[in-house]
Amino acid sequence: MAGVDYMLNGIALDSRYCRVTLGSGLFAGVSVSRSKVSAPFRHGTIPSGLAPSFEERSLTLKVTAYRQGAIGRDSGMGSDSSRLARLCMAPNPVLSRTVNGRKQQASVELASLEADDGGTVLDRVTPFTAVFALPQVWWRDPEAFDRPLAVNTTANLWPAARTWTQKYWTRWSGEENNSTSLLADFVTMWMGEENDSTSLLIPLADGIPDGMFGDAPITDLILRLPRNTTSATITDPVSNTGVIWQGAANANMFTYLDVGNSQAWQSSNDHQWSKSGTDVTGGLDYPAGGMLQCWPNPVDNGYRLTTKLTGSTEPLLAHARRAWW
């Protein structure tokens, strides 16, 4: 894949003596649950209503390793083939890539690593093929953002790029009330919580590229419910998946719902994104469509969630990492 730089466990695979010449990340296969129905003079299918499931995908890297001394004036007997082998066989490998300036990563498992037959030239050039399995299917943002969600409405987790305009005057070009006004020529937003996160500013002339906020389902959201919440239902209007929680009101505790691991806990810490505190998983449930997956809208690529709470009108907070195919 042109213009993509790969790293394994934070170490660049591309070096002076090692080059990734090909990287493939084909789409994952899609499986849809359907039931066949047949009767005299009638036939058809009944969809289950569940969101599609995705098979484990694989990534193939073609890597060429050079012996030191094969390039320029360097000398030595070492080869980057041993470095490549060490990286590929490290425990708990994490493969990273940079696409159009966006860093993406995935937990992977090494499926195979072998030298290509006939590729070695006098021990100077050794091409390898490395195949990795991606059990979690998607590439994800290494950084998680804490995105506020208004309650009892449908709110944007990540906005649709095509809707970004700012049609209002921003400042006088000269004397107040006696000069032309200047229209905003940029879009800006908080990437996380207001006044407590990095901000984004992009000139309108450049536009916001499709997929900047992700283009794959987000399956590992952690949601923080406000204090005093007694029930919450959060659903994705695209996939009809969701998560439901019911429990006793607590004026001192936030309730956290980890939809990726089907766990819930309460903590007085306002950013307790790993399980700690009081376990309240017993109040966790989900609708008929299945556990929450936040899918991009197929028309405008925006990510939205519909929220319904009792016990509080404070906003939810979603701990989210962007996801890409």
Side-chain angles (χ1 to χ4, degrees), residues 5 26 48 117 267 295 311:
D5 300 317
L26 299 178
S48 68
D117 291 340
S267 173
W295 287 57

Side-chain angles (χ1 to χ4, degrees), residues 8 79-90 110 113 128:
L8 192 57
S79 171
D80 251 17
S81 58
S82 59
R83 168 181 171 271
L84 176 65
R86 291 196 307 272
L87 288 176
C88 289
M89 289 184 284
L110 179 66
L113 172 67
F128 288 87

Side-chain angles (χ1 to χ4, degrees), residues 3-15:
V4 180
D5 300 317
Y6 290 96
M7 302 177 71
L8 192 57
N9 285 353
I11 300 174
L13 291 179
D14 284 307
S15 70

Side-chain angles (χ1 to χ4, degrees), residues 38 71 136 220 256 295 302:
S38 61
I71 302 176
Q136 295 179 340
D220 56 355
Y256 293 84
W295 287 57

Side-chain angles (χ1 to χ4, degrees), residues 50-324:
L50 297 175
S53 60
F54 295 86
E55 304 296 332
E56 178 182 271
R57 65 196 293 194
S58 63
L59 176 75
T60 300
L61 298 182
K62 293 284 188 179
V63 183
T64 300
Y66 301 86
R67 177 176 63 82
Q68 293 185 23
I71 302 176
R73 299 181 179 179
D74 294 308
S75 62
M77 299 301 293
S79 171
D80 251 17
S81 58
S82 59
R83 168 181 171 271
L84 176 65
R86 291 196 307 272
L87 288 176
C88 289
M89 289 184 284
N92 305 315
V94 175
L95 191 65
S96 306
R97 68 181 187 180
T98 302
V99 183
N100 297 325
R102 294 191 295 269
K103 292 184 178 180
Q104 306 171 4
Q105 70 179 30
S107 296
V108 298
E109 298 172 1
L110 179 66
S112 65
L113 172 67
E114 55 186 345
D116 297 342
D117 291 340
T120 300
V121 180
L122 298 177
D123 196 32
R124 293 169 67 86
V125 180
T126 308
F128 288 87
T129 298
V131 179
F132 297 93
L134 279 69
Q136 295 179 340
V137 183
W138 314 117
W139 295 91
R140 288 181 170 84
D141 193 328
E143 182 179 0
F145 297 94
D146 298 334
R147 301 281 297 158
L149 295 171
V151 299
N152 301 325
T153 187
T154 297
N156 285 330
L157 180 65
W158 295 112
R162 69 176 59 187
T163 63
W164 277 53
T165 57
Q166 288 182 278
K167 295 181 178 179
Y168 57 84
W169 302 107
T170 59
R171 65 184 185 274
W172 300 108
S173 62
E175 183 180 356
E176 182 179 354
N177 293 321
N178 193 28
S179 63
T180 57
S181 297
L182 299 179
L183 184 67
D185 59 354
F186 57 87
V187 292
T188 184
M189 63 172 281
W190 298 110
M191 291 296 286
E193 294 182 85
E194 183 178 352
N195 295 320
D196 193 27
S197 66
T198 56
S199 59
L200 173 73
L201 189 151
I202 295 181
L204 284 175
D206 296 343
I208 296 182
D210 191 36
M212 176 178 181
F213 298 113
D215 55 18
I218 301 175
T219 59
D220 56 355
L221 281 171
I222 302 177
L223 301 167
R224 189 194 74 186
L225 309 181
R227 299 183 184 96
N228 281 321
T229 299
T230 55
S231 70
T233 300
I234 300 95
T235 55
D236 171 39
V238 175
S239 65
N240 293 318
T241 60
V243 63
I244 301 168
W245 183 84
Q246 288 184 322
N250 193 318
N252 301 312
M253 297 282 189
F254 295 96
T255 301
Y256 293 84
L257 311 180
D258 182 345
V259 301
N261 294 304
S262 298
Q263 295 179 333
W265 61 91
Q266 289 183 334
S267 173
S268 59
N269 189 330
D270 60 355
H271 287 78
Q272 186 60 55
W273 302 117
S274 58
K275 187 176 180 180
S276 180
T278 304
D279 185 279
V280 290
T281 305
L284 200 61
D285 201 354
Y286 52 88
M291 184 58 85
L292 179 64
Q293 301 176 16
C294 188
W295 287 57
N297 184 287
V299 176
D300 62 20
N301 208 52
Y303 290 77
R304 301 175 179 89
L305 289 172
T306 300
T307 65
K308 182 179 180 181
L309 262 68
T310 58
S312 177
T313 58
E314 295 294 319
L316 288 79
L317 198 62
H319 191 67
R321 290 193 294 163
R322 294 177 291 180
W324 294 272

